[in-house]
Amino acid sequence: MDMIQEYLPTLIKSSYFLAAILFITGLRRMSAPGTARGGIVWAGVGMLIATIATFLLPDMHNMVLILAALVSSTVLAWVSGKKVAMTDMPQMVALYNGMGGGSAAFIGAMALFNAVDHLGGCQAGTIVDTASSHDCLSGVTMVFAVVGVFIGAISLSGSLVAFGKLQGWIDKRYTFPGQHFFNGIVAIGTLGLGFYLMKDLNANYIWIFFGLSLLLGVLMTMPIGGADMPVVISLYNAFTGLAVSFEGFVLQNEAMIIAGMLVGSAGTLLTQEMAKAMNRSLGSVLFGSMGGSGGSAIEGEMKEIEGQDAAIQMAFADRVIVVPGYGMAVAQAQHKLWEMTQLLLDKGVDVKFAIHPVAGRMPGHMNVLLAEAGVPYDLIEDMEDINSQFKQTDVALVIGANDVVNPVAKTDPESPIYGMPILNVDEAKNSIVIKRGKGTGFAGIQNALFFAENNKMLYGDAQDAIAKLIQGLKAL
Amino acid sequence: MIDGFIALYIFALAAILGFEIIRKVPVILHTPLMSGSNFIHGIVLVGAMIALGHADTTLEKVFGFIAVFLGAGNAAGGYVVTERMLEMFKPRKKKEDEGDK
């Protein structure tokens, strides 16, 4: 027994160390297609080891509460994660990410409340005991606790708003004049209170600070349009990582520090890549405005085409490029699309898929769906690789994509999306756009492609429209 | 005991590592990677358990309960969703790992 008592702390520390290594290895494996599937398992094993080790920590109380919260939440999240449709994955990532940020924020708040309860009981500038107690907070620890609450709370409420927007519960951008100025004041005020709180620790201030941080997350996310949502989710993912890392310092837990910071930096880089792909800086995503009715009106008429005619046009083409967008995801049309593609390939048509970096609601969203349907990697091309090939393409088939193929991004400096890199569908000899209705896209901007001379519109749900194309191809 | 400077070293090294790992990732893996990294910060669950395990007052217990609940959701949900996404990456025509360094 004494032996176990003696070596237990070392065993637990080793478990956390092992978990950190497994996380790093897992993330590394996940960053290459061949090993990606194994990567999540490595990371999962790390999580399991760390969780079990935590149960063995000495002086743990409230075991019933811990188990109740752990089991109920795990079951709920597991079931919801299993049941959710592939198309709804982005908002689930937003939701789970918000939960992590919230968890970090509550941990930080607990450390602060605990410090209030023990005011005067410890010398300034010292931390009593290690992981087992955070009764006394040193200056540095206090800074991390406060900043962790701030970032974690923003990630929680911001991710929930992002979830609501993607889920369609919040379908508007909420803007008012002077909004950024107002948000800036709230941000500075909140941080100011946070720093004041370190000097004059008081439970009321903690409540207000927590509340203001939550409010700030909502304020920051409400004015951001759906087109920018991928960047925002990625940013909050990085935020949660940082918050976890900081609270890890507060709790003196190395696994949290390393894993959190790993995600913090990886997430930041991912966010930058996405923003860059949209030719927007992070600042303009967060503080610029997007959408609305900016840009010049477009003259002309949209010409309709029947499924049969569209099928004939593609069947006799040498080269077809398919551009999938959110419309394909919503209609779950990826399987039908692959069926159609195979028919075209059998007829000797050269078919490629062109993926805009931010097509859909998350980067890589389209790749995941196409992979699900069984489309081989080598038919799928990134924007930079395929953009020069549209000129030699007979038919570009756009499926529920809008802003990412809108040529006004190249031509109209007045347009809010001016400067955003797009797929050069307008350069193809012909284009066919499958679209549900005549409305504008997610960003609310008129699309010049739809009015172009060599463009035809195939109206309908992506699934039905492609079914008609398949019918047409089979009839040939 | 991790003091401020050692923490600084850990922060910096972990940050550089995260940066390097993500640097040359193909677009195809962006969504799964975001989801996967989302799972990894689910380690916050461990911190939440420690915090609740040392909670005394009712307020702390309530906050700790919420923290564990949220953290477990992050970890469990993050895992399932990532696994489902990566399930799509079954080796098919045996293509070489383009993102491998």
Side-chain angles (χ1 to χ4, degrees):
Chain A
M1 195 63 202
D2 281 351
M3 280 273 283
I4 298 174
Q5 288 300 337
E6 198 180 331
Y7 289 110
L8 198 56
T10 313
L11 182 71
I12 293 167
K13 284 270 178 195
S14 312
S15 306
Y16 289 147
F17 176 74
L18 189 61
I21 299 296
L22 285 168
F23 287 148
I24 294 167
T25 317
L27 190 67
R28 216 184 116 67
R29 294 183 81 86
M30 274 190 269
S31 62
T35 53
R37 284 178 77 215
I40 184 66
V41 180
W42 283 65
V45 171
M47 191 70 73
L48 210 58
I49 291 174
T51 310
I52 292 169
T54 305
F55 275 111
L56 301 177
L57 275 175
D59 307 325
M60 288 280 280
H61 310 295
N62 306 321
M63 276 299 172
V64 179
L65 281 177
I66 293 178
L67 278 170
L70 182 66
V71 172
S72 60
S73 181
T74 302
V75 170
L76 272 176
W78 197 273
V79 172
S80 62
K82 279 272 184 217
K83 271 185 17 192
V84 72
M86 214 59 202
T87 37
D88 292 341
M89 287 290 170
Q91 53 261 51
M92 294 316 278
V93 174
L95 179 66
Y96 298 139
N97 172 56
M99 292 177 85
S103 184
F106 277 100
I107 292 172
M110 283 174 79
L112 294 175
F113 277 121
N114 201 304
V116 173
D117 292 344
H118 293 80
L119 267 186
C122 44
Q123 283 179 302
T126 58
I127 310 174
V128 174
D129 211 345
T130 55
S132 60
S133 165
H134 42 78
D135 294 351
C136 301
L137 297 178
S138 72
V140 183
T141 315
M142 186 86 89
V143 173
F144 280 121
V146 167
V147 177
V149 169
F150 180 68
I151 300 174
I154 289 176
S155 178
L156 169 62
S157 59
S159 297
L160 287 180
V161 172
F163 172 80
K165 286 200 174 203
L166 291 175
Q167 193 77 2
W169 294 349
I170 308 169
D171 54 0
K172 268 197 305 206
R173 299 168 55 231
Y174 290 85
T175 50
F176 53 85
Q179 186 166 27
H180 300 311
F181 182 72
F182 178 77
N183 289 358
I185 295 289
V186 175
I188 292 168
T190 310
L191 272 175
L193 178 63
F195 284 106
Y196 182 73
L197 193 142
M198 292 173 206
K199 288 237 175 305
D200 183 6
L201 205 53
N202 171 316
N204 288 331
Y205 293 159
I206 302 174
W207 282 109
I208 299 170
F209 176 65
F210 202 156
L212 279 175
S213 303
L214 285 172
L215 177 69
L216 190 58
V218 175
L219 288 174
M220 273 171 66
T221 323
M222 283 311 246
I224 301 174
D228 283 335
M229 223 23 91
V231 182
V232 174
I233 296 176
S234 175
L235 180 71
Y236 288 145
N237 186 42
F239 270 27
T240 301
L242 283 181
V244 170
S245 188
F246 291 169
E247 299 308 342
F249 180 80
V250 174
L251 295 174
Q252 296 281 297
N253 185 297
E254 296 87 348
M256 277 172 78
I257 298 179
I258 294 172
M261 193 48 88
L262 195 66
V263 177
S265 77
T268 305
L269 185 58
L270 209 57
T271 310
Q272 275 176 348
E273 282 198 4
M274 279 178 230
K276 207 167 62 188
M278 299 166 78
N279 200 21
R280 287 161 73 67
S281 69
L282 205 51
S284 65
V285 168
L286 292 176
F287 306 116
S289 53
M290 173 93 173
S293 51
S296 338
I298 294 162
E299 304 285 317
E301 208 183 338
M302 298 194 246
K303 294 171 290 296
E304 213 175 323
I305 190 171
E306 290 300 317
Q308 180 73 37
D309 300 330
I312 293 173
Q313 205 175 7
M314 286 196 295
F316 291 103
D318 289 328
R319 246 188 113 83
V320 171
I321 294 180
V322 179
V323 179
Y326 190 59
M328 181 192 81
V330 170
Q332 291 279 16
Q334 62 272 25
H335 299 280
K336 283 252 179 279
L337 179 60
W338 176 226
E339 193 186 335
M340 182 202 83
T341 307
Q342 283 168 308
L343 287 171
L344 286 173
L345 290 170
D346 288 345
K347 291 186 188 300
V349 183
D350 174 17
V351 187
K352 286 270 169 10
F353 291 83
I355 310 287
H356 190 278
V358 294
R361 290 294 179 269
M362 284 179 102
H365 195 186
M366 293 301 123
N367 304 77
V368 169
L369 294 176
L370 291 178
E372 183 198 9
V375 179
Y377 298 144
D378 47 342
L379 293 188
I380 301 174
E381 305 265 1
D382 290 344
M383 181 171 69
E384 305 88 68
D385 300 327
I386 203 160
N387 245 353
S388 58
Q389 298 176 27
F390 277 100
K391 280 197 182 81
Q392 298 94 44
T393 297
D394 303 297
V395 181
L397 177 68
V398 178
I399 304 167
N402 192 340
D403 300 322
V404 297
V405 295
N406 191 347
V408 301
K410 292 190 289 193
T411 54
D412 180 7
E414 299 290 302
S415 171
I417 60 168
Y418 181 70
M420 177 174 111
I422 59 156
L423 287 161
N424 297 329
V425 172
D426 56 316
E427 291 179 2
K429 289 172 196 154
N430 295 286
S431 54
I432 299 169
V433 176
I434 297 178
K435 197 169 179 308
R436 261 188 303 189
K438 300 190 181 188
T440 53
F442 210 46
I445 302 156
Q446 283 280 7
N447 194 329
L449 175 73
F450 301 167
F451 298 93
E453 201 52 47
N454 53 356
N455 180 71
K456 300 274 188 341
M457 306 298 290
L458 178 54
Y459 290 112
D461 169 80
Q463 176 103 255
D464 301 338
I466 296 172
K468 278 185 201 140
L469 291 176
I470 292 174
Q471 231 175 27
L473 287 172
K474 282 185 173 159
L476 284 175
Chain B
M1 177 62 37
I2 312 164
D3 72 17
F5 262 102
I6 295 181
L8 200 60
Y9 279 105
I10 303 180
F11 282 140
L13 291 174
I16 292 166
L17 198 57
F19 226 75
E20 285 299 318
I21 291 175
I22 297 299
R23 216 155 60 125
K24 285 182 222 127
V25 169
V27 179
I28 187 165
L29 281 169
H30 277 179
T31 301
L33 254 178
M34 187 195 295
S35 181
S37 56
N38 175 43
F39 165 70
I40 287 175
H41 63 52
I43 188 68
V44 71
L45 168 64
V46 163
M49 286 169 67
I50 296 172
L52 178 54
H54 296 95
D56 305 315
T57 64
T58 311
L59 177 71
E60 282 176 11
K61 284 181 189 169
V62 171
F63 269 43
F65 187 86
I66 298 172
V68 173
F69 188 87
L70 293 176
N74 184 179
Y79 186 85
V80 174
V81 167
T82 310
E83 203 208 13
R84 280 185 59 190
M85 280 186 202
L86 292 175
E87 192 58 28
M88 315 298 164
F89 288 85
K90 278 189 214 102
R92 213 163 281 109
K93 265 194 337 189
K94 197 68 190 164
K95 176 136 193 229
E96 284 316 305
D97 317 335
E98 41 195 292
D100 222 351
K101 290 175 239 174

